[in-house]
PDB file of all heavy atoms in Angstrom:
ATOM      1  N   GLU A 105      29.399 133.101 151.487  1.00  0.00           N
ATOM      2  CA  GLU A 105      28.462 134.230 151.378  1.00  0.00           C
ATOM      3  C   GLU A 105      27.534 134.229 152.589  1.00  0.00           C
ATOM      4  O   GLU A 105      26.837 133.245 152.853  1.00  0.00           O
ATOM      5  CB  GLU A 105      27.646 134.133 150.090  1.00  0.00           C
ATOM      6  CG  GLU A 105      26.742 135.338 149.873  1.00  0.00           C
ATOM      7  CD  GLU A 105      26.067 135.303 148.516  1.00  0.00           C
ATOM      8  OE1 GLU A 105      25.241 134.393 148.288  1.00  0.00           O
ATOM      9  OE2 GLU A 105      26.395 136.170 147.683  1.00  0.00           O
ATOM     10  N   THR A 106      27.530 135.333 153.320  1.00  0.00           N
ATOM     11  CA  THR A 106      26.699 135.419 154.507  1.00  0.00           C
ATOM     12  C   THR A 106      25.239 135.657 154.126  1.00  0.00           C
ATOM     13  O   THR A 106      24.923 135.989 152.972  1.00  0.00           O
ATOM     14  CB  THR A 106      27.165 136.560 155.423  1.00  0.00           C
ATOM     15  OG1 THR A 106      26.894 137.819 154.780  1.00  0.00           O
ATOM     16  CG2 THR A 106      28.657 136.456 155.720  1.00  0.00           C
ATOM     17  N   ASP A 107      24.357 135.515 155.107  1.00  0.00           N
ATOM     18  CA  ASP A 107      22.933 135.742 154.872  1.00  0.00           C
ATOM     19  C   ASP A 107      22.646 137.179 154.450  1.00  0.00           C
ATOM     20  O   ASP A 107      21.610 137.456 153.832  1.00  0.00           O
ATOM     21  CB  ASP A 107      22.128 135.425 156.147  1.00  0.00           C
ATOM     22  CG  ASP A 107      22.118 133.932 156.449  1.00  0.00           C
ATOM     23  OD1 ASP A 107      22.331 133.138 155.509  1.00  0.00           O
ATOM     24  OD2 ASP A 107      21.919 133.566 157.624  1.00  0.00           O
ATOM     25  N   THR A 108      23.569 138.082 154.756  1.00  0.00           N
ATOM     26  CA  THR A 108      23.376 139.487 154.376  1.00  0.00           C
ATOM     27  C   THR A 108      24.019 139.813 153.033  1.00  0.00           C
ATOM     28  O   THR A 108      24.016 140.977 152.613  1.00  0.00           O
ATOM     29  CB  THR A 108      23.958 140.414 155.464  1.00  0.00           C
ATOM     30  OG1 THR A 108      25.355 140.130 155.628  1.00  0.00           O
ATOM     31  CG2 THR A 108      23.244 140.211 156.795  1.00  0.00           C
ATOM     32  N   GLY A 109      24.614 138.806 152.382  1.00  0.00           N
ATOM     33  CA  GLY A 109      25.168 139.017 151.044  1.00  0.00           C
ATOM     34  C   GLY A 109      26.642 139.359 150.993  1.00  0.00           C
ATOM     35  O   GLY A 109      27.180 139.579 149.912  1.00  0.00           O
ATOM     36  N   ARG A 110      27.305 139.378 152.126  1.00  0.00           N
ATOM     37  CA  ARG A 110      28.748 139.644 152.114  1.00  0.00           C
ATOM     38  C   ARG A 110      29.502 138.365 151.777  1.00  0.00           C
ATOM     39  O   ARG A 110      29.112 137.260 152.194  1.00  0.00           O
ATOM     40  CB  ARG A 110      29.208 140.179 153.465  1.00  0.00           C
ATOM     41  CG  ARG A 110      28.593 141.506 153.823  1.00  0.00           C
ATOM     42  CD  ARG A 110      29.108 142.025 155.142  1.00  0.00           C
ATOM     43  NE  ARG A 110      30.529 142.360 155.080  1.00  0.00           N
ATOM     44  CZ  ARG A 110      31.185 142.939 156.096  1.00  0.00           C
ATOM     45  NH1 ARG A 110      30.546 143.209 157.230  1.00  0.00           N
ATOM     46  NH2 ARG A 110      32.459 143.245 155.973  1.00  0.00           N
ATOM     47  N   ARG A 111      30.581 138.519 151.044  1.00  0.00           N
ATOM     48  CA  ARG A 111      31.407 137.366 150.685  1.00  0.00           C
ATOM     49  C   ARG A 111      32.762 137.484 151.368  1.00  0.00           C
ATOM     50  O   ARG A 111      33.488 138.476 151.173  1.00  0.00           O
ATOM     51  CB  ARG A 111      31.562 137.271 149.165  1.00  0.00           C
ATOM     52  CG  ARG A 111      30.236 136.941 148.475  1.00  0.00           C
ATOM     53  CD  ARG A 111      30.403 136.669 147.000  1.00  0.00           C
ATOM     54  NE  ARG A 111      29.140 136.238 146.403  1.00  0.00           N
ATOM     55  CZ  ARG A 111      28.998 135.835 145.154  1.00  0.00           C
ATOM     56  NH1 ARG A 111      30.066 135.810 144.335  1.00  0.00           N
ATOM     57  NH2 ARG A 111      27.817 135.448 144.703  1.00  0.00           N
ATOM     58  N   VAL A 112      33.087 136.477 152.169  1.00  0.00           N
ATOM     59  CA  VAL A 112      34.326 136.481 152.936  1.00  0.00           C
ATOM     60  C   VAL A 112      35.033 135.142 152.738  1.00  0.00           C
ATOM     61  O   VAL A 112      34.488 134.202 152.153  1.00  0.00           O
ATOM     62  CB  VAL A 112      34.051 136.717 154.436  1.00  0.00           C
ATOM     63  CG1 VAL A 112      33.393 138.072 154.662  1.00  0.00           C
ATOM     64  CG2 VAL A 112      33.199 135.598 155.026  1.00  0.00           C
ATOM     65  N   LEU A 113      36.245 135.067 153.253  1.00  0.00           N
ATOM     66  CA  LEU A 113      37.016 133.821 153.231  1.00  0.00           C
ATOM     67  C   LEU A 113      36.721 133.030 154.500  1.00  0.00           C
ATOM     68  O   LEU A 113      36.697 133.594 155.597  1.00  0.00           O
ATOM     69  CB  LEU A 113      38.518 134.118 153.156  1.00  0.00           C
ATOM     70  CG  LEU A 113      39.013 134.850 151.916  1.00  0.00           C
ATOM     71  CD1 LEU A 113      40.418 135.400 152.164  1.00  0.00           C
ATOM     72  CD2 LEU A 113      39.008 133.934 150.695  1.00  0.00           C
ATOM     73  N   LEU A 114      36.526 131.729 154.356  1.00  0.00           N
ATOM     74  CA  LEU A 114      36.307 130.867 155.507  1.00  0.00           C
ATOM     75  C   LEU A 114      37.344 129.753 155.511  1.00  0.00           C
ATOM     76  O   LEU A 114      37.434 128.965 154.572  1.00  0.00           O
ATOM     77  CB  LEU A 114      34.903 130.248 155.468  1.00  0.00           C
ATOM     78  CG  LEU A 114      34.612 129.206 156.556  1.00  0.00           C
ATOM     79  CD1 LEU A 114      34.684 129.837 157.939  1.00  0.00           C
ATOM     80  CD2 LEU A 114      33.256 128.532 156.319  1.00  0.00           C
ATOM     81  N   ASP A 115      38.139 129.713 156.567  1.00  0.00           N
ATOM     82  CA  ASP A 115      39.066 128.596 156.784  1.00  0.00           C
ATOM     83  C   ASP A 115      38.278 127.512 157.514  1.00  0.00           C
ATOM     84  O   ASP A 115      38.057 127.583 158.723  1.00  0.00           O
ATOM     85  CB  ASP A 115      40.258 129.075 157.625  1.00  0.00           C
ATOM     86  CG  ASP A 115      41.320 127.992 157.819  1.00  0.00           C
ATOM     87  OD1 ASP A 115      40.967 126.803 157.779  1.00  0.00           O
ATOM     88  OD2 ASP A 115      42.492 128.348 158.031  1.00  0.00           O
ATOM     89  N   GLU A 116      37.826 126.501 156.747  1.00  0.00           N
ATOM     90  CA  GLU A 116      36.978 125.460 157.327  1.00  0.00           C
ATOM     91  C   GLU A 116      37.743 124.511 158.236  1.00  0.00           C
ATOM     92  O   GLU A 116      37.170 123.931 159.164  1.00  0.00           O
ATOM     93  CB  GLU A 116      36.305 124.651 156.218  1.00  0.00           C
ATOM     94  CG  GLU A 116      35.320 125.431 155.366  1.00  0.00           C
ATOM     95  CD  GLU A 116      34.562 124.525 154.418  1.00  0.00           C
ATOM     96  OE1 GLU A 116      34.115 123.446 154.859  1.00  0.00           O
ATOM     97  OE2 GLU A 116      34.444 124.884 153.237  1.00  0.00           O
ATOM     98  N   GLY A 117      39.029 124.323 157.971  1.00  0.00           N
ATOM     99  CA  GLY A 117      39.818 123.415 158.792  1.00  0.00           C
ATOM    100  C   GLY A 117      40.649 122.466 157.965  1.00  0.00           C
ATOM    101  O   GLY A 117      40.920 122.704 156.778  1.00  0.00           O
ATOM    102  N   PHE A 118      41.030 121.358 158.570  1.00  0.00           N
ATOM    103  CA  PHE A 118      42.036 120.446 158.040  1.00  0.00           C
ATOM    104  C   PHE A 118      41.411 119.229 157.349  1.00  0.00           C
ATOM    105  O   PHE A 118      40.437 118.656 157.836  1.00  0.00           O
ATOM    106  CB  PHE A 118      42.925 119.961 159.197  1.00  0.00           C
ATOM    107  CG  PHE A 118      43.957 118.938 158.815  1.00  0.00           C
ATOM    108  CD1 PHE A 118      45.157 119.329 158.248  1.00  0.00           C
ATOM    109  CD2 PHE A 118      43.734 117.590 159.036  1.00  0.00           C
ATOM    110  CE1 PHE A 118      46.124 118.389 157.906  1.00  0.00           C
ATOM    111  CE2 PHE A 118      44.686 116.638 158.698  1.00  0.00           C
ATOM    112  CZ  PHE A 118      45.882 117.039 158.140  1.00  0.00           C
ATOM    113  N   ILE A 119      41.986 118.874 156.204  1.00  0.00           N
ATOM    114  CA  ILE A 119      41.677 117.602 155.558  1.00  0.00           C
ATOM    115  C   ILE A 119      42.991 116.892 155.254  1.00  0.00           C
ATOM    116  O   ILE A 119      44.037 117.529 155.094  1.00  0.00           O
ATOM    117  CB  ILE A 119      40.868 117.765 154.249  1.00  0.00           C
ATOM    118  CG1 ILE A 119      41.659 118.611 153.233  1.00  0.00           C
ATOM    119  CG2 ILE A 119      39.503 118.371 154.522  1.00  0.00           C
ATOM    120  CD1 ILE A 119      41.058 118.623 151.841  1.00  0.00           C
ATOM    121  N   ARG A 120      42.935 115.561 155.199  1.00  0.00           N
ATOM    122  CA  ARG A 120      44.134 114.794 154.849  1.00  0.00           C
ATOM    123  C   ARG A 120      44.408 114.891 153.346  1.00  0.00           C
ATOM    124  O   ARG A 120      43.526 115.250 152.561  1.00  0.00           O
ATOM    125  CB  ARG A 120      43.958 113.327 155.254  1.00  0.00           C
ATOM    126  CG  ARG A 120      43.812 113.122 156.763  1.00  0.00           C
ATOM    127  CD  ARG A 120      43.549 111.673 157.084  1.00  0.00           C
ATOM    128  NE  ARG A 120      43.361 111.456 158.507  1.00  0.00           N
ATOM    129  CZ  ARG A 120      44.347 111.176 159.359  1.00  0.00           C
ATOM    130  NH1 ARG A 120      45.603 111.087 158.901  1.00  0.00           N
ATOM    131  NH2 ARG A 120      44.112 110.988 160.639  1.00  0.00           N
ATOM    132  N   THR A 121      45.627 114.551 152.968  1.00  0.00           N
ATOM    133  CA  THR A 121      46.000 114.619 151.545  1.00  0.00           C
ATOM    134  C   THR A 121      45.119 113.707 150.698  1.00  0.00           C
ATOM    135  O   THR A 121      44.843 114.001 149.536  1.00  0.00           O
ATOM    136  CB  THR A 121      47.481 114.233 151.363  1.00  0.00           C
ATOM    137  OG1 THR A 121      47.717 112.961 151.993  1.00  0.00           O
ATOM    138  CG2 THR A 121      48.394 115.274 151.994  1.00  0.00           C
ATOM    139  N   THR A 122      44.655 112.597 151.287  1.00  0.00           N
ATOM    140  CA  THR A 122      43.821 111.662 150.533  1.00  0.00           C
ATOM    141  C   THR A 122      42.434 112.230 150.243  1.00  0.00           C
ATOM    142  O   THR A 122      41.703 111.704 149.405  1.00  0.00           O
ATOM    143  CB  THR A 122      43.661 110.340 151.308  1.00  0.00           C
ATOM    144  OG1 THR A 122      43.199 110.631 152.640  1.00  0.00           O
ATOM    145  CG2 THR A 122      44.992 109.608 151.400  1.00  0.00           C
ATOM    146  N   GLU A 123      42.054 113.300 150.951  1.00  0.00           N
ATOM    147  CA  GLU A 123      40.737 113.902 150.769  1.00  0.00           C
ATOM    148  C   GLU A 123      40.770 115.104 149.830  1.00  0.00           C
ATOM    149  O   GLU A 123      39.759 115.780 149.660  1.00  0.00           O
ATOM    150  CB  GLU A 123      40.169 114.339 152.121  1.00  0.00           C
ATOM    151  CG  GLU A 123      40.017 113.209 153.134  1.00  0.00           C
ATOM    152  CD  GLU A 123      39.640 113.727 154.503  1.00  0.00           C
ATOM    153  OE1 GLU A 123      40.536 114.237 155.206  1.00  0.00           O
ATOM    154  OE2 GLU A 123      38.453 113.650 154.865  1.00  0.00           O
ATOM    155  N   ARG A 124      41.922 115.341 149.228  1.00  0.00           N
ATOM    156  CA  ARG A 124      42.069 116.539 148.398  1.00  0.00           C
ATOM    157  C   ARG A 124      41.011 116.631 147.300  1.00  0.00           C
ATOM    158  O   ARG A 124      40.450 117.697 147.062  1.00  0.00           O
ATOM    159  CB  ARG A 124      43.470 116.568 147.781  1.00  0.00           C
ATOM    160  CG  ARG A 124      43.650 117.707 146.784  1.00  0.00           C
ATOM    161  CD  ARG A 124      45.044 117.836 146.273  1.00  0.00           C
ATOM    162  NE  ARG A 124      45.138 118.884 145.272  1.00  0.00           N
ATOM    163  CZ  ARG A 124      46.269 119.381 144.803  1.00  0.00           C
ATOM    164  NH1 ARG A 124      47.422 118.933 145.239  1.00  0.00           N
ATOM    165  NH2 ARG A 124      46.246 120.326 143.886  1.00  0.00           N
ATOM    166  N   ASP A 125      40.748 115.542 146.626  1.00  0.00           N
ATOM    167  CA  ASP A 125      39.837 115.570 145.481  1.00  0.00           C
ATOM    168  C   ASP A 125      38.392 115.227 145.836  1.00  0.00           C
ATOM    169  O   ASP A 125      37.549 115.085 144.952  1.00  0.00           O
ATOM    170  CB  ASP A 125      40.340 114.606 144.397  1.00  0.00           C
ATOM    171  CG  ASP A 125      41.709 115.023 143.853  1.00  0.00           C
ATOM    172  OD1 ASP A 125      41.935 116.242 143.738  1.00  0.00           O
ATOM    173  OD2 ASP A 125      42.530 114.129 143.559  1.00  0.00           O
ATOM    174  N   ALA A 126      38.098 115.100 147.121  1.00  0.00           N
ATOM    175  CA  ALA A 126      36.715 114.822 147.527  1.00  0.00           C
ATOM    176  C   ALA A 126      35.831 116.020 147.191  1.00  0.00           C
ATOM    177  O   ALA A 126      36.256 117.170 147.316  1.00  0.00           O
ATOM    178  CB  ALA A 126      36.649 114.530 149.021  1.00  0.00           C
ATOM    179  N   PRO A 127      34.599 115.794 146.743  1.00  0.00           N
ATOM    180  CA  PRO A 127      33.721 116.925 146.402  1.00  0.00           C
ATOM    181  C   PRO A 127      33.330 117.712 147.647  1.00  0.00           C
ATOM    182  O   PRO A 127      33.008 117.145 148.688  1.00  0.00           O
ATOM    183  CB  PRO A 127      32.500 116.240 145.762  1.00  0.00           C
ATOM    184  CG  PRO A 127      32.516 114.843 146.298  1.00  0.00           C
ATOM    185  CD  PRO A 127      33.948 114.487 146.507  1.00  0.00           C
ATOM    186  N   ARG A 128      33.385 119.032 147.539  1.00  0.00           N
ATOM    187  CA  ARG A 128      32.940 119.919 148.608  1.00  0.00           C
ATOM    188  C   ARG A 128      32.018 120.975 147.989  1.00  0.00           C
ATOM    189  O   ARG A 128      32.436 122.108 147.744  1.00  0.00           O
ATOM    190  CB  ARG A 128      34.143 120.554 149.321  1.00  0.00           C
ATOM    191  CG  ARG A 128      34.849 119.593 150.277  1.00  0.00           C
ATOM    192  CD  ARG A 128      36.092 120.191 150.892  1.00  0.00           C
ATOM    193  NE  ARG A 128      37.170 120.259 149.918  1.00  0.00           N
ATOM    194  CZ  ARG A 128      38.008 119.265 149.641  1.00  0.00           C
ATOM    195  NH1 ARG A 128      37.895 118.107 150.258  1.00  0.00           N
ATOM    196  NH2 ARG A 128      38.964 119.416 148.731  1.00  0.00           N
ATOM    197  N   PRO A 129      30.777 120.588 147.729  1.00  0.00           N
ATOM    198  CA  PRO A 129      29.852 121.507 147.050  1.00  0.00           C
ATOM    199  C   PRO A 129      29.392 122.625 147.977  1.00  0.00           C
ATOM    200  O   PRO A 129      29.694 122.643 149.174  1.00  0.00           O
ATOM    201  CB  PRO A 129      28.683 120.582 146.679  1.00  0.00           C
ATOM    202  CG  PRO A 129      28.705 119.524 147.736  1.00  0.00           C
ATOM    203  CD  PRO A 129      30.161 119.293 148.057  1.00  0.00           C
ATOM    204  N   ALA A 130      28.649 123.559 147.410  1.00  0.00           N
ATOM    205  CA  ALA A 130      28.084 124.652 148.197  1.00  0.00           C
ATOM    206  C   ALA A 130      27.099 124.087 149.212  1.00  0.00           C
ATOM    207  O   ALA A 130      26.229 123.283 148.864  1.00  0.00           O
ATOM    208  CB  ALA A 130      27.386 125.650 147.278  1.00  0.00           C
ATOM    209  N   VAL A 131      27.262 124.488 150.485  1.00  0.00           N
ATOM    210  CA  VAL A 131      26.374 124.008 151.546  1.00  0.00           C
ATOM    211  C   VAL A 131      26.106 125.153 152.524  1.00  0.00           C
ATOM    212  O   VAL A 131      26.933 126.049 152.700  1.00  0.00           O
ATOM    213  CB  VAL A 131      26.994 122.814 152.310  1.00  0.00           C
ATOM    214  CG1 VAL A 131      27.037 121.567 151.457  1.00  0.00           C
ATOM    215  CG2 VAL A 131      28.384 123.168 152.828  1.00  0.00           C
ATOM    216  N   PRO A 132      24.938 125.119 153.181  1.00  0.00           N
ATOM    217  CA  PRO A 132      24.676 126.112 154.227  1.00  0.00           C
ATOM    218  C   PRO A 132      25.490 125.792 155.476  1.00  0.00           C
ATOM    219  O   PRO A 132      25.722 124.615 155.794  1.00  0.00           O
ATOM    220  CB  PRO A 132      23.175 125.957 154.487  1.00  0.00           C
ATOM    221  CG  PRO A 132      22.864 124.564 154.076  1.00  0.00           C
ATOM    222  CD  PRO A 132      23.793 124.229 152.952  1.00  0.00           C
ATOM    223  N   MET A 133      25.913 126.831 156.180  1.00  0.00           N
ATOM    224  CA  MET A 133      26.723 126.645 157.384  1.00  0.00           C
ATOM    225  C   MET A 133      26.433 127.751 158.383  1.00  0.00           C
ATOM    226  O   MET A 133      26.165 128.897 157.997  1.00  0.00           O
ATOM    227  CB  MET A 133      28.226 126.711 157.072  1.00  0.00           C
ATOM    228  CG  MET A 133      28.840 125.492 156.459  1.00  0.00           C
ATOM    229  SD  MET A 133      30.637 125.725 156.330  1.00  0.00           S
ATOM    230  CE  MET A 133      31.107 124.204 155.502  1.00  0.00           C
ATOM    231  N   ASP A 134      26.508 127.382 159.662  1.00  0.00           N
ATOM    232  CA  ASP A 134      26.578 128.354 160.752  1.00  0.00           C
ATOM    233  C   ASP A 134      27.956 128.182 161.380  1.00  0.00           C
ATOM    234  O   ASP A 134      28.316 127.075 161.806  1.00  0.00           O
ATOM    235  CB  ASP A 134      25.491 128.105 161.792  1.00  0.00           C
ATOM    236  CG  ASP A 134      24.096 128.278 161.208  1.00  0.00           C
ATOM    237  OD1 ASP A 134      23.878 129.281 160.496  1.00  0.00           O
ATOM    238  OD2 ASP A 134      23.237 127.406 161.449  1.00  0.00           O
ATOM    239  N   VAL A 135      28.712 129.265 161.421  1.00  0.00           N
ATOM    240  CA  VAL A 135      30.111 129.176 161.832  1.00  0.00           C
ATOM    241  C   VAL A 135      30.386 130.141 162.975  1.00  0.00           C
ATOM    242  O   VAL A 135      29.953 131.303 162.942  1.00  0.00           O
ATOM    243  CB  VAL A 135      31.055 129.514 160.652  1.00  0.00           C
ATOM    244  CG1 VAL A 135      32.516 129.434 161.093  1.00  0.00           C
ATOM    245  CG2 VAL A 135      30.799 128.586 159.471  1.00  0.00           C
ATOM    246  N   THR A 136      31.084 129.673 163.996  1.00  0.00           N
ATOM    247  CA  THR A 136      31.712 130.572 164.960  1.00  0.00           C
ATOM    248  C   THR A 136      33.213 130.410 164.798  1.00  0.00           C
ATOM    249  O   THR A 136      33.710 129.291 164.597  1.00  0.00           O
ATOM    250  CB  THR A 136      31.307 130.267 166.410  1.00  0.00           C
ATOM    251  OG1 THR A 136      31.716 128.937 166.742  1.00  0.00           O
ATOM    252  CG2 THR A 136      29.803 130.396 166.592  1.00  0.00           C
TER     253      THR A 136
END
Side-chain angles (χ1 to χ4, degrees):
E105 185 173 66
T106 69
D107 290 337
T108 59
R110 297 182 66 175
R111 293 187 175 185
V112 299
L113 297 165
L114 174 63
D115 184 333
E116 295 188 44
F118 176 82
I119 60 170
R120 296 176 182 270
T121 53
T122 53
E123 301 172 282
R124 174 174 177 168
D125 297 324
R128 284 176 286 275
V131 290
M133 282 186 183
D134 297 314
V135 179
T136 61

